[in-house]
């Protein structure tokens, strides 16, 4: 209290002290509430930042999953095409094997026919062109011997 003013009675001092305490108390509460509000705001900002980071991660993950899906589709179509091509190749190999077997059988038949023609048609024709010789004619002539090359007959001289 100031020196020129009169001091209030004791009861007023108590009321003034209570009012001062009440104002300080309210001011302290206001500071506490302000601090709590600031902490809440900071917490909310951190949460917003974390949610934004999670959102970014999920979008990145979705992009990766989509890319992987495209790659899987490509792999699946390639595997299907390979399977189809393998089946077609196996079919073509069977056809080629059957054709080769048929060609071999045809060649064997042609060889048998050629041998038969040779034996039954050409060789008899060649034999007909050359007269058959008697066994005596087929022997080579003996030196100093007769024209027949045969043995002398017993009633001969």
């Amino acid at each position: 209290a100031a020196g020129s003013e009169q001091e209030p009675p004791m009861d007023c001092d108590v009321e003034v002290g209570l009012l001062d305490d009440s104002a300080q108390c309210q001011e302290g509460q206001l500071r506490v509430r302000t601090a709590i509000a600031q902490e809440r705001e900071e917490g909310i900002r951190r949460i917003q930042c974390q949610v934004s980071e999670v959102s970014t991660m999920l979008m990145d993950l979705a992009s990766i999953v989509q890319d992987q899906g495209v790659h899987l589709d490509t792999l699946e179509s390639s595997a299907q095409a390979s399977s189809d091509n393998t089946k077609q190749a196996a079919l073509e190999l069977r056809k080629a094997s059957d054709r080769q077997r048929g060609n071999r059988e045809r060649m064997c038949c042609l060889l048998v026919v050629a041998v038969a023609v040779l034996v039954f048609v050409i060789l008899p024709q060649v034999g007909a062109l050359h007269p058959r010789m008697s066994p005596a004619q087929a022997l080579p002539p003996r030196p100093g011997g007769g024209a027949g090359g045969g043995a002398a007959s017993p009633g001969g001289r």
Side-chain angles (χ1 to χ4, degrees):
S4 62
E5 296 181 13
Q6 287 185 323
E7 291 186 14
M10 206 54 175
D11 290 334
C12 286
D13 274 345
V14 173
E15 287 179 15
V16 170
L18 288 177
L19 288 177
D20 286 339
D21 286 341
S22 176
Q24 287 176 353
C25 187
Q26 286 177 354
E27 190 177 314
Q29 287 177 350
L30 182 60
R31 280 189 222 134
V32 169
R33 287 181 187 160
T34 304
I36 290 173
Q38 287 175 347
E39 286 180 19
R40 283 184 185 165
E41 278 184 47
E42 289 175 18
I44 289 171
R45 283 189 197 115
R46 279 194 306 265
I47 290 172
Q48 285 176 338
C49 186
Q50 290 170 347
V51 166
S52 176
E53 289 175 3
V54 168
S55 175
T56 303
M57 284 191 268
L58 287 176
M59 286 191 298
D60 290 345
L61 184 62
S63 174
I64 291 170
V65 167
Q66 185 178 8
D67 289 345
Q68 292 299 320
V70 170
H71 291 301
L72 284 176
D73 290 344
T74 302
L75 286 172
E76 183 180 1
S77 64
S78 295
Q80 184 64 40
S82 295
S83 173
D84 294 343
N85 289 340
T86 302
K87 288 176 185 175
Q88 186 64 31
L91 181 64
E92 292 296 325
L93 284 172
R94 272 191 232 109
K95 285 180 184 178
S97 175
D98 291 344
R99 266 188 253 124
Q100 193 174 20
R101 186 179 306 117
N103 287 342
R104 242 179 298 161
E105 290 172 357
R106 207 172 299 129
M107 288 301 289
C108 286
C109 288
L110 285 174
L111 183 63
V112 168
V113 168
V115 168
V117 166
L118 180 70
V119 168
F120 293 112
V121 175
I122 295 177
L123 288 180
Q125 293 296 326
V126 170
L129 292 177
H130 295 291
R132 292 195 177 204
M133 294 196 258
S134 66
Q137 290 174 341
L139 293 176
R142 281 194 237 165
S153 59
R157 292 192 202 164

